[in-house]
Amino acid sequence: MRRRPAGSDDQVGGVPARFVAAPADTEEAADILRAADADGLAVVVRGAGTKLDWGLPPRRLDLILDTHRLTGVVEHAAGDLITVVRAGTVLSELDFGAQQLALDSPLPGATVGGALATNTSGPRRLLYGTARDLVIGMTVVRPDGTVTRSGGKVVKNVAGYDLGKLFTGSYGTLGLITECAFRLHPVPPARAVVLREADVAEVGPLLAAVRGEQVVPTAVEIDHDGSGPVTIAVLVEGTAEGVRDRAARLEKVLGGATGDLPAWWGALPWPAGGVGVKLTAPLSRVPELLGAAPGTTIRGSAGTGVLYAHVTGDVPRTIELLRATAVRAGGHTVVLTAPEEVRHAVDMWGPVPGLALMRRVKDRFDPGHRFAPGRFVGGI
C-alpha cells in the first residue's frame, strides 16, 4: 500500500490521521483502498482542504486519501459540449476556451471533487444548474476498492444507476470520486449586472418584479450585513444587444443602475474559523430570512432560495431563530462549519427528511462504515 506516515497538519476537524496516500489515477486509488479495506482503516478524502471543516469531525481517522495528484482534463469533446475531468483538479484552473464549466466556487482553490462531494454551487446555479445538474457521468472507487462507472459522455444517458447524483452532496461518505464528466456551456459574448440598494421591506416586491419581468437572469444575488440596506445584484448574459435590452428593463423595474460585479459576489460571508450557516426557502419567502436574526450577515442566491449566513454573538440562539424562520417558510437550516464548542452546542443538520433511506444507502455502499464515519447527517 502506497502510504506515508501522517504529519501534524494531516487532520480533519481536529482528528489526526495515521497515514496519508496520494494516488495518481483510478487504478492506484483502487489498490490503496483495497489494502485499506483489508486493514480495516477509516478513510477521509482530502482535495484542496477548503471544506474539510464542513460537517462533523470523523469518529475515527486512519488514512487521508489526498487527491492532489488526480488532476487534469482527460477529455474535452468541444463538439458535444462535454468534458471529463479528474477530481483533484482546481475548478478555477479549468479553461475550455469558448466553452465553460458553469460551476462557481465560493472558496478559492476548491477542487472538482470537493465541489461535488459537498454539492457546492454559486450564483450562476440559477441559469446553469447546480453541481448535481452539471455532472453527467462519474468514476468512483468504493470503500472495498471496487471501481464503478456511471453515466457517460453524452447528456442523455439513462443506463444504470445515476451514481453522479448519489455521490454529489454525500460528503465523501460513499467512496472516492476520481473522474467526472460534465456538460459544458458556451461562454456568453456579453454580460451586465444591475444593482440596487433597498430596505429589507422593499426586497420582496423588488425580487417579485424581477421574476415577473422574465429577463432570464443568470443570477439574482443579495447581500445584507444585518443592519443597513440590502444590495440586490442581477446578472444577465447573452448577445450584446440582448443584454443591453434586458439590463435596461431591469434598471426600470429595480430602480437601479448597471455597474460592476460587487466585491462580495459569489463569496461566502464568514471568515476562516467563523460560524457558517446555509439557509433555504421558497423564492417568495426569501425576504423573511433577512429579518430573522438582526445583526447577522446574510448573502446568496435570492433567485434559487439558497442563502448563507455568518453567525456571531449568541450563536445557539441565532441558529435557533434562523432555523425556526426557515422551517416556517418551508426551508431548512444547516450549520456548515463552526468551532468545536459550537458543534457541541447546536444541532448541525436539523431535521432531515429521508434519513432512514440515506442510512440504507450508506450501509449498501460502505457496510463497514469506514469512509468519513460520522461526518454526515445522522452520524452517517
Side-chain angles (χ1 to χ4, degrees):
M1 178 177 176
R2 305 170 185 86
R3 63 193 185 198
R4 64 166 175 83
S8 59
D9 293 333
D10 295 317
Q11 53 181 281
V12 177
V15 180
R18 297 166 54 203
F19 308 103
V20 177
D25 54 36
T26 299
E27 290 69 28
E28 187 175 350
D31 289 341
I32 291 170
L33 288 180
R34 277 192 289 269
D37 182 50
D39 292 340
L41 302 184
V43 180
V44 172
V45 179
R46 178 178 67 191
T50 59
K51 293 181 284 292
L52 270 187
D53 59 345
W54 288 25
L56 292 166
R59 284 192 297 272
R60 65 187 185 98
L61 175 57
D62 299 306
L63 173 68
I64 288 178
L65 197 62
D66 193 296
T67 66
H68 78 272
R69 298 174 67 206
L70 287 169
T71 59
V73 175
V74 178
E75 181 178 351
H76 175 205
D80 296 324
L81 287 169
I82 296 296
T83 187
V84 179
V85 183
R86 294 188 181 94
T89 307
V90 175
L91 272 170
S92 60
E93 295 178 357
L94 290 173
D95 183 1
F96 301 105
Q99 298 176 355
Q100 61 175 331
L101 174 57
L103 183 59
D104 302 310
S105 174
L107 292 165
T111 64
V112 168
L116 286 174
T118 56
N119 194 25
T120 307
S121 303
R124 295 183 298 164
R125 64 183 290 164
L126 174 61
L127 181 64
Y128 297 109
T130 66
R132 184 175 275 118
D133 299 313
L134 292 169
V135 65
I136 61 172
M138 186 177 285
T139 299
V140 303
V141 184
R142 294 174 59 177
D144 63 358
T146 301
V147 177
T148 305
R149 293 176 174 86
S150 174
K153 293 180 289 185
V154 294
V155 173
K156 293 184 179 180
N157 188 315
V158 294
Y161 296 103
D162 196 341
L163 287 183
K165 287 183 171 53
L166 185 64
F167 271 65
T168 301
S170 64
Y171 274 66
T173 57
L174 300 179
L176 168 69
I177 301 169
T178 60
E179 292 184 5
C180 315
F182 292 101
R183 70 185 73 202
L184 301 176
H185 291 84
V187 175
R191 72 178 187 181
V193 61
V194 178
L195 302 156
R196 163 72 192 271
E197 287 194 349
D199 294 333
V200 172
E202 299 176 288
V203 171
L206 288 171
L207 293 177
V210 171
R211 294 194 296 271
E213 193 64 17
Q214 297 184 347
V215 294
V216 193
T218 299
V220 179
E221 297 289 295
I222 56 176
D223 180 62
H224 182 44
D225 67 2
S227 58
V230 180
T231 300
I232 303 173
V234 183
L235 175 67
V236 289
E237 297 177 319
T239 64
E241 182 180 358
V243 166
R244 281 195 302 269
D245 174 69
R246 288 183 288 153
R249 290 161 60 191
L250 283 169
E251 288 180 352
K252 184 175 180 180
V253 300
L254 277 177
T258 300
D260 298 323
L261 286 176
W264 52 263
W265 182 270
L268 297 173
W270 57 83
V275 179
V277 175
K278 180 180 180 180
L279 310 167
T280 63
L283 301 187
S284 62
R285 309 290 293 273
V286 164
E288 297 175 33
L289 301 179
L290 297 176
T296 299
T297 298
I298 296 179
R299 177 185 303 159
S301 178
T304 62
V306 178
L307 306 179
Y308 298 93
H310 174 212
V311 178
T312 58
D314 187 345
V315 172
R317 173 167 171 73
T318 301
I319 291 173
E320 181 182 340
L321 289 172
L322 291 171
R323 182 163 282 152
T325 303
V327 169
R328 283 197 301 271
H332 302 279
T333 298
V334 173
V335 182
L336 295 178
T337 179
E340 183 179 0
E341 63 273 14
V342 174
R343 296 175 192 270
H344 291 303
V346 303
D347 181 354
M348 296 281 285
W349 298 97
V352 179
L355 183 56
L357 175 59
M358 295 167 69
R359 285 185 170 135
R360 290 200 297 273
V361 171
K362 172 68 171 177
D363 290 341
R364 181 69 177 87
F365 278 81
D366 182 19
H369 287 216
R370 295 188 305 100
F371 250 67
R375 293 272 284 157
F376 201 24
V377 57
I380 292 175

